Amino acid sequence: MLEILSEMFSYAFLVRAVVVGLLVSLCAALLGVSLVLKRYSMIGDGLSHVGFGTLALATAMNAAPLAVSIPVVILAAIALLRISESSKIKGDAAIALISTSSLAIGVVVISLTTGMNTDVCNYMFGSILAMTKEDVTLSITLAAAVLTLFILFYNNIFAVTFDETFAQAVGMKTGLYNMLISFLTAIAIVLGMRMMGALLISSLIIFPALTAMRVFKKFKTVTICSAVVSVACFFVGVVCSYLYATPTGASVVIMNMLAFLLFWLARLLTLKARGNGAKAKRVSNF
Amino acid sequence: MAFITCQNASFAYDGITVASGLNFSVCRGDYLCIVGENGSGKSTLIKGLLRLKPVQSGVIFTGDGLKANEIGYLPQQTDAQKDFPASAYEVVLSGRMSIRGLRPFYSKSDKNACEENLRRLGIENLKNSCYRELSGGQQQRVLLARALCATRKMLLMDEPTAGLDPAATQDLYKEIEKLNKDGGITIIMVSHDIPSSIKYASHILHMKGRQLFFGAASSYISSGIGSELMGGALNA
Ligand SMILES: Nc1ncnc2c1ncn2[C@@H]1O[C@H](COP(=O)(O)OP(=O)(O)O)[C@@H](O)[C@H]1O
Ligand SMILES: [Mg+2]
């Protein structure tokens, strides 16, 4: 095992990919807890499609992919937040509109310029070769920002996630937190999508939170477990993809799926073990 | 001087007025029930009192030493909360948010206040239970304890008994009465239940897009305005 790892890490591109991947997985999992609980996790899917469109444009214009994608995806994130807050169009419908439009623009741009080739496949399903030094720097900055947010403002994030109206009523700037979370999500998506693939990146946001929620019942433990599961799944996924020469993104998603099934099974078993005794024991004041 | 005074206030969504002609005041120790059919603007008024929604015209002001952030709030429950992974303790503690201010973490006194309110509502044994696994009545008690963490003066509640069975509803009414009578906490509550409102409240505000009635609960009975909503039971 150690041999395999040291062999893997003798490739500089793999080291970069693993560093970026671990940091993005960590951030996506933390942000995902809040997004999933607020029923807003589809934003990840929407933004990844916008990311796909901007990557295609950047390639066509011969521009640096991050420089084009990050500002556009951030704008899309803010727009989606605004639309879902004003509730004129329902949030999920708005996301579908924006994501299919971007996908269509991306596909047309690609077919007009380079034509449908391996590039498209890489954008859709990810490529481990895509990570540069710039990505590493940016993902370290992102992780620092997300961790600071979650450690210093953990209690506020809980309050906004659990009950936004109450938080607002006691004087919290809830709009600011929503904006910050969307903003960081946008960056995490753009960073992760070239490796994980536009079609698969949103799983990093959704899976870990849902997995953690199978077993844990407190916000704190769900948050911590989600981060740990996400990082572990990414690492195992990358190693497997190296060993069996499978695509990285898909391998990581399969690990997340297995973790979800495992946690789900664990809950079923503990429920069975406790049996109906627990139900009877449940204190009932009412 | 009153805690909250509402002078000729009205509220609108996208320029369409949904509630108007609101003239009433709530004094220290009052127990006001806001009644009216669905869509009559009750929740909108509550949001206005909390400064979550600006008035379209008129004014709302606080007095008698009540600051705008000293109002505890019990919102209508949302679907998302029903399966939220959180312990009762985490939920109640979040009520101390406005008192905590800019400090990032909760202090000993925040935790003590939280424990005290859990005890006050008789749910200290549920402290480590998962919120989503509690019964509807227990969940409302948790949210009530959270609101009490934010205030010692005034509670605003939007249909606190919605979705509770009759026994749990009566228990919650008694709990609220205790907070009002023994705790000296001023109550403003939206309710669909006119008989209970008359039984427990000191004042009634009846809305139907505008203010139909405001006054003491006893004079509400003689006004006969509520009899329509009660299906004539008032005359019986
Ligand atoms: N966010 C909103 N946007 C537009 N109209 C709204 C909104 N919220 C409520 N309304 C309208 O305002 C009126 C009053 O609603 P509400 O205050 O919720 O009534 P109640 O709580 O008495 O049932 C209703 O006609 C409702 O359709
Ligand atoms: Mg209402």
Side-chain angles (χ1 to χ4, degrees):
Chain A
M1 183 69 201
L2 275 179
E3 264 167 51
I4 298 165
L5 287 185
S6 72
E7 184 190 318
M8 257 180 86
F9 289 126
S10 62
Y11 298 104
F13 78 92
L14 268 180
V15 175
R16 285 198 299 270
V18 169
V19 169
V20 173
L22 287 176
L23 293 174
V24 168
S25 306
L26 175 72
C27 296
L30 289 174
L31 297 166
V33 171
S34 186
L35 293 172
V36 165
L37 287 170
K38 291 179 76 167
R39 308 282 154 96
Y40 197 52
S41 53
M42 285 310 287
I43 188 182
D45 205 43
L47 293 182
S48 62
H49 290 78
V50 175
F52 173 83
T54 57
L55 276 189
L57 272 177
T59 315
M61 296 184 321
N62 252 330
L66 286 183
V68 180
S69 288
I70 289 184
V72 177
V73 176
I74 287 175
L75 283 182
I78 293 172
L80 285 174
L81 193 66
R82 280 279 141 78
I83 293 172
S84 73
E85 272 170 359
S86 77
S87 77
K88 285 263 162 53
I89 309 177
K90 280 266 175 273
D92 55 346
I95 289 173
L97 283 183
I98 292 192
S99 73
T100 48
S101 306
S102 320
L103 202 56
I105 292 174
V107 169
V108 167
V109 167
I110 288 173
S111 69
L112 285 181
T113 52
T114 55
M116 293 292 194
N117 54 17
T118 48
D119 275 356
V120 185
C121 194
N122 283 344
Y123 292 160
M124 290 284 200
F125 304 109
S127 156
I128 192 111
L129 302 171
M131 295 296 110
T132 62
K133 282 222 175 75
E134 206 186 351
D135 291 287
V136 177
T137 321
L138 197 55
S139 55
I140 292 174
T141 317
L142 170 74
V146 172
L147 284 177
T148 312
L149 179 74
F150 269 79
I151 292 171
L152 281 186
F153 300 100
Y154 168 79
N155 291 304
N156 294 18
I157 289 174
F158 171 78
V160 181
T161 308
F162 180 71
D163 192 340
E164 200 170 328
T165 329
F166 180 84
Q168 225 177 340
V170 296
M172 221 176 112
K173 303 258 176 301
T174 56
L176 195 68
Y177 280 88
N178 289 336
M179 193 67 91
L180 206 54
I181 286 178
S182 299
F183 175 82
L184 294 171
T185 306
I187 299 181
I189 298 250
V190 175
L191 268 174
M193 69 172 281
R194 279 164 307 139
M195 178 172 19
M196 292 291 297
L199 293 182
L200 298 172
I201 179 73
S202 60
S203 64
L204 287 191
I205 290 186
I206 299 172
F207 259 122
L210 287 179
T211 302
M213 281 165 66
R214 288 317 96 199
V215 169
F216 292 99
K217 296 176 171 181
K218 292 186 181 175
F219 190 71
K220 197 170 254 164
T221 48
V222 166
T223 309
I224 294 171
C225 170
S226 169
V228 172
V229 164
S230 180
V231 166
C233 285
F234 180 82
F235 194 76
V236 177
V238 158
V239 173
C240 286
S241 93
Y242 177 77
L243 285 180
Y244 303 107
T246 47
T248 316
S251 311
V252 172
V253 175
I254 286 180
M255 286 309 144
N256 270 296
M257 191 183 81
L258 291 177
F260 179 84
L261 290 176
L262 202 71
F263 274 59
W264 180 64
L265 213 67
R267 182 170 75 161
L268 280 191
L269 289 181
T270 50
L271 280 185
K272 248 208 187 114
R274 267 192 280 153
N276 291 335
K279 242 182 219 159
K281 230 177 62 193
R282 221 156 83 183
V283 229
S284 62
N285 284 358
F286 291 68
Chain B
M1 195 183 172
F3 263 167
I4 289 192
T5 309
C6 207
Q7 273 174 5
N8 218 6
S10 67
F11 296 97
Y13 290 101
D14 305 319
I16 299 164
T17 305
V18 295
S20 61
L22 297 163
N23 280 296
F24 63 90
S25 56
V26 181
C27 298
R28 188 187 290 265
D30 280 359
Y31 185 148
L32 172 71
C33 268
I34 304 174
V35 299
E37 51 199 80
N38 283 333
S40 57
K42 307 182 295 293
S43 296
T44 306
L45 171 60
I46 292 283
K47 295 219 171 80
L49 296 177
L50 286 165
R51 315 281 155 139
L52 297 181
K53 176 151 186 63
V55 290
Q56 180 192 26
S57 66
V59 282
I60 295 176
F61 54 89
T62 55
D64 200 7
L66 180 79
K67 294 191 208 88
N69 66 353
E70 285 181 320
I71 303 175
Y73 178 41
L74 193 68
Q76 272 178 307
Q77 280 210 50
T78 61
D79 284 341
Q81 281 169 10
K82 298 220 167 86
D83 57 355
F84 199 98
S87 67
Y89 185 77
E90 285 180 311
V91 174
V92 174
L93 192 59
S94 73
R96 294 287 289 183
M97 202 167 39
S98 62
I99 291 157
R100 176 167 55 87
L102 290 174
R103 280 179 291 130
F105 305 108
Y106 291 107
S107 67
K108 193 86 196 115
S109 70
D110 291 323
K111 288 175 184 158
N112 288 342
C114 175
E115 301 275 353
E116 181 196 322
N117 286 314
L118 283 165
R119 252 196 318 275
R120 195 172 184 180
L121 290 163
I123 48 172
E124 67 265 61
N125 53 340
L126 303 179
K127 179 171 139 174
N128 290 314
S129 310
C130 178
Y131 178 79
R132 66 181 168 201
E133 287 170 3
L134 298 177
S135 73
Q138 289 169 334
Q139 286 184 345
Q140 286 301 62
R141 281 186 185 228
V142 170
L143 295 185
L144 203 52
R146 176 185 65 167
L148 288 172
C149 276
T151 184
R152 289 171 179 280
K153 293 182 176 168
M154 178 181 266
L155 278 180
L156 247 65
M157 295 179 257
D158 200 344
E159 302 194 26
T161 61
L164 299 189
D165 61 50
T169 301
Q170 287 312 314
D171 275 341
L172 195 64
Y173 277 130
K174 297 226 172 71
E175 201 66 67
I176 295 167
E177 185 185 31
K178 216 168 75 195
L179 292 174
N180 177 246
K181 289 243 164 66
D182 308 340
I185 292 172
T186 309
I187 307 280
I188 300 181
M189 176 163 94
V190 170
S191 170
H192 274 303
D193 179 354
I194 293 193
S196 294
S197 299
I198 294 170
K199 184 169 162 207
Y200 293 107
S202 64
H203 293 77
I204 304 271
L205 171 66
H206 189 139
M207 296 174 66
K208 193 177 184 178
R210 59 195 172 81
Q211 179 173 325
L212 290 185
F213 176 89
F214 171 70
S218 51
S219 54
Y220 181 66
I221 304 173
S222 45
S223 77
I225 292 169
S227 55
E228 174 194 333
L229 268 177
M230 270 183 76
L234 274 173
N235 307 325

